[in-house]
């Protein structure tokens, strides 16, 4: 079980800010592949991973990151603060 | 308190004065503040909406301040960033740095700005009467980070 969070247009495209996902995925990439296979809205949101950023347990990382022990994964577009 | 994330407007003068008052006795001869303001670039912006990632936002901002303090001899540093809805000409955020010398205070303030623009989890959405669109990250913002990687 892992909490998956979505922000900005990723949240809008998927249609929810967060959900709990039952998964055995060992990496972020494997989780993305599972989500893509679920429904077209996920496939659409994860179509171009170069347009996305990912954080595991609130730390920026990349799609090869392991998920062992992780509680929270977040997907979002490049940040635009300031 | 080095980081504050809030939806309410803030009083730049009061925040700057409070920051200055905190430096008493610290031999901080230089204090720099920067403030970001909502611009109506395309003429017609009604509302700038800023979404953030509660929890990660505070951690990311604190980590960026830690990096700045490792690079420059700062007496103190402060970042205040708003989220939610704001109008043109309202202040979005501010940074403040205090150091013995002005070069360190200026450089650290620029570093904080460059990093929080593309490494703190905020996303801007511009609403006009006709439409709403997420602001896209700019290549220049990534380039601005590279000058600090030495």
């Amino acid at each position: 079980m892992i909490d998956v969070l979505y922000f900005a247009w990723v949240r809008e495209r998927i249609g929810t800010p967060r959900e709990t996902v039952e998964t055995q995925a060992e990496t972020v990439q494997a989780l993305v592949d599972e989500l893509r296979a679920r429904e077209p809205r996920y496939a659409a949101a994860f179509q171009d991973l170069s347009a996305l950023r990912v954080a595991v347990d609130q730390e920026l990382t990349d799609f090869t990151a392991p998920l062992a022990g992780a509680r929270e994964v977040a997907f979002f577009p490049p940040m635009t603060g300031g | 308190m080095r980081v504050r994330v809030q939806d309410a407007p803030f009083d730049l003068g009061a925040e700057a004065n409070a920051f200055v008052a905190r430096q008493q006795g610290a031999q901080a001869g230089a204090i720099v503040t920067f403030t970001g303001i909502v611009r109506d670039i395309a003429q017609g912006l009604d509302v700038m909406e800023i979404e953030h990632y509660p929890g990660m936002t505070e951690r990311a901002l604190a980590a960026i301040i830690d990096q700045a303090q490792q690079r420059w001899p700062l007496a103190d540093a402060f970042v205040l960033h708003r989220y939610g809805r704001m109008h043109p000409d309202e202040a979005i955020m501010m940074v403040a740095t205090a150091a013995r010398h002005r070069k360190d205070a200026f450089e650290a303030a620029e570093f904080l700005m460059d990093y929080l623009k593309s490494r703190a989890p905020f996303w801007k959405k511009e609403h006009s009467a006709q439409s709403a669109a997420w602001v896209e990250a700019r290549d220049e913002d990534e380039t601005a980070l590279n000058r600090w990687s030495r």
Side-chain angles (χ1 to χ4, degrees):
Chain A
M1 297 277 272
I2 196 161
D3 285 328
V4 184
L5 284 70
Y6 310 105
F7 291 95
W9 60 255
V10 184
R11 168 178 57 72
E12 292 177 341
R13 209 160 288 181
I14 289 175
T16 185
R18 71 186 298 156
E19 59 188 330
T20 301
V21 174
E22 188 75 57
T23 180
Q24 304 297 324
E26 291 181 358
T27 64
V28 173
Q29 181 66 58
L31 174 64
V32 167
D33 291 341
E34 284 181 13
L35 292 171
R36 273 174 171 156
R38 278 182 160 190
E39 284 178 52
R41 60 195 169 108
Y42 291 95
F46 290 111
Q47 192 172 16
D48 177 11
L49 293 190
S50 72
L52 293 182
R53 300 291 178 268
V54 59
V56 173
D57 287 338
Q58 305 190 353
E59 294 278 354
L60 271 181
T61 183
D62 55 55
F63 287 83
T64 63
L67 288 181
R71 295 181 313 266
E72 189 171 296
V73 178
F75 297 101
F76 41 78
M79 294 155 277
T80 52
Chain B
M1 182 182 50
R2 302 180 308 156
V3 169
R4 204 157 86 225
V5 182
Q6 65 183 41
D7 61 351
F10 64 92
D11 180 334
L12 172 64
E15 297 293 344
N17 283 332
F19 185 78
V20 170
R22 246 164 58 188
Q23 311 313 322
Q24 283 194 7
Q27 299 290 329
I31 288 175
V32 166
T33 67
F34 170 88
T35 313
I37 307 287
V38 179
R39 286 186 301 163
D40 181 5
I41 301 169
Q43 302 289 308
L45 179 72
D46 285 334
V47 169
M48 172 78 84
E49 183 186 356
I50 298 183
E51 182 169 330
H52 81 117
Y53 182 171
M56 180 174 167
T57 306
E58 291 80 359
R59 289 172 59 156
L61 292 175
I64 293 166
I65 288 179
D66 284 344
Q67 283 185 54
Q69 288 186 311
Q70 281 163 25
R71 293 182 74 126
W72 291 277
L74 300 178
D76 200 1
F78 176 60
V79 174
L80 192 169
H81 205 300
R82 292 177 63 195
Y83 61 89
R85 297 165 74 84
M86 48 208 90
H87 297 95
D89 300 324
E90 276 188 61
I92 303 172
M93 53 79 61
M94 67 170 286
V95 303
T97 55
R100 194 169 283 248
H101 304 293
R102 74 170 186 274
K103 187 166 181 289
D104 293 331
F106 271 120
E107 283 185 5
E110 277 209 273
F111 173 92
L112 290 173
M113 284 310 306
D114 285 347
Y115 267 79
L116 75 84
K117 266 190 112 61
S118 40
R119 291 292 183 272
F122 292 102
W123 301 274
K124 293 196 183 101
K125 190 176 191 178
E126 294 176 336
H127 295 264
S128 69
Q130 298 79 28
S131 63
W134 291 99
V135 174
E136 288 194 31
R138 302 179 315 157
D139 290 341
E140 300 96 279
D141 293 337
E142 251 346 272
T143 310
L145 289 186
N146 294 337
R147 68 181 162 138
W148 302 110
S149 53
R150 51 176 156 81

